[in-house]
Amino acid sequence: MITSRRSFLGLSAAGAAAAALPGVSAAAPSGDKPKAVLRLSCQEGVAPGRNLVEKLDFLEANGFEGIEPGGRGLPGRVDEFKKALEGRKIKVSAICAGFQGVLISDDENSRKQAVDTIKEILTAAGALGSTGMIVVPAFHNQTKLGHQEGRELLVKLLGDLGAHAQAAGTRILLEPLNRQECHFLRQVADAAAICRDVNHPGVGVMGDFWHMTWEETSDFAAFVSAGSYLHHVHCASRKERKVPGEDEGDNYVDGMKGLKWIGYQNYISLECGCKGDRAKAIPAAAKLLRDQWAEA
Ligand code: MG
């Protein structure tokens, strides 16, 4: 019987799964990895409030440790953010995209526009102490390059972007999406394999529970496969992409077990719509996520 064999080997089901993955030690949770922490973050556009200060007040009052701004226009907002964050515990978490052009476009001008504007946003992200800037290499119909050619191009471009990110004091983070939005990059492990091939500390990956709902067979395994490349997580309800808890049965425990396994130190950030009143739904989501983290 599988259960008794596991108990004989002294491995939990989760431990047995991770031990079978290349590069992952069965001793990971109690080994040299730090104890994972739950740091809640919320996108700027998701938090209620008439301006940045009101949004920060709301998030801090509800125990959030991070705010995730969009990258669009961020280079012109660095001073605004620095001033608004002065004397607060809450920090900038990741920066969500906001660049122009398409990184793996078949059109050279579009690629150049992407590289140039990503670098501008990375510089701003570094100035704000951000964990990383989120980048989608190409949505549906944004490139005519085939998968192999697109991947080779991406690996080449990420070396330069990673160096720029590291010099700025931040990272570039690849975001896998679900099949309705892109075909190029859909699974966390695929993004992690790209990071491995680039092999630069300025290049990492993030996972979005919403996209993972459709693309991953195991949230736990997806995060374990990303390991130390993982530096951000997005969270939404699992049926309609609203505030976590607004869909019946919203559950993140399996993924949180993976985050604990890898000693995750960065943020889980709300990227979602809202069915009801944000001022009530977001504190309820924070409680749900804290309860499930404790359970994981
Ligand atoms: Mg996302």
Side-chain angles (χ1 to χ4, degrees):
M1 226 175 101
I2 291 170
T3 313
S4 60
R5 216 181 87 212
R6 275 195 189 117
S7 62
F8 171 73
L9 292 169
L11 292 172
S12 67
L21 293 167
V24 176
S25 158
S30 55
D32 54 358
K33 292 189 176 60
K35 191 175 185 317
V37 285
L38 176 64
R39 291 201 167 106
L40 295 177
S41 165
C42 184
Q43 289 194 336
E44 184 184 2
V46 174
R50 286 169 298 180
N51 52 48
L52 181 57
V53 169
E54 284 189 8
K55 287 168 188 278
L56 290 170
D57 287 345
F58 172 85
L59 292 174
E60 271 199 327
N62 288 287
F64 282 73
E65 296 182 55
I67 184 165
E68 179 183 325
R72 190 171 188 165
L74 192 73
R77 298 185 67 200
V78 171
D79 289 342
E80 178 197 353
F81 267 95
K82 279 188 174 170
K83 193 166 167 248
L85 289 165
E86 224 169 52
R88 294 183 188 263
K89 281 188 193 161
I90 192 167
K91 293 179 167 52
V92 168
S93 59
I95 306 296
C96 193
F99 58 97
Q100 290 160 31
V102 178
L103 192 54
I104 59 164
S105 174
D106 49 292
D107 172 45
E108 196 183 337
N109 289 330
S110 180
R111 288 201 300 270
K112 187 178 180 317
Q113 193 182 27
V115 168
D116 290 349
T117 54
I118 287 171
K119 283 182 176 175
E120 286 170 16
I121 297 168
L122 282 169
T123 300
L128 292 171
S130 166
T131 49
M133 175 194 173
I134 299 162
V135 167
V136 171
F139 287 83
H140 271 317
N141 305 318
Q142 284 190 325
T143 184
K144 293 190 178 77
L145 298 185
H147 190 278
Q148 190 174 348
E149 205 182 348
R151 194 187 190 284
E152 282 171 11
L153 173 64
L154 180 62
V155 168
K156 192 171 145 226
L157 293 173
L158 284 174
D160 174 42
L161 289 170
H164 185 95
Q166 189 185 30
T170 188
R171 304 179 187 89
I172 185 165
L173 300 173
L174 297 175
E175 179 170 17
L177 305 179
N178 72 71
R179 71 198 72 173
Q180 292 187 326
E181 296 186 33
C182 76
H183 66 269
F184 178 76
L185 187 59
R186 296 184 297 104
Q187 289 190 306
V188 176
D190 194 13
I194 292 169
C195 293
R196 178 203 61 197
D197 291 354
V198 178
N199 190 25
H200 194 289
V203 179
V205 60
M206 62 157 295
D208 182 329
F209 273 110
W210 165 252
H211 301 298
M212 290 165 65
T213 302
W214 318 107
E215 302 300 335
E216 306 289 353
T217 54
S218 160
D219 292 341
F220 172 85
F223 286 143
V224 170
S225 74
S228 59
Y229 297 122
L230 189 80
H231 289 288
H232 198 57
V233 171
H234 276 163
C235 195
S237 73
R238 306 208 75 156
K239 295 191 184 85
E240 296 185 50
R241 208 179 192 180
K242 304 301 182 188
V243 176
E246 287 198 309
D247 286 339
E248 201 183 329
D250 280 337
N251 193 307
Y252 311 92
V253 173
D254 188 52
M256 286 172 168
K257 283 181 179 167
L259 296 176
K260 287 190 173 180
W261 183 273
I262 64 174
Y264 186 66
Q265 299 292 306
N266 301 120
Y267 298 87
I268 296 181
S269 192
L270 301 185
E271 180 186 52
C272 53
C274 184
K275 295 184 191 181
D277 178 359
R278 286 166 197 269
K280 290 187 182 133
I282 291 174
K287 183 181 184 310
L288 177 90
L289 293 173
R290 285 191 192 100
D291 288 350
Q292 293 195 357
W293 182 264
E295 187 190 332

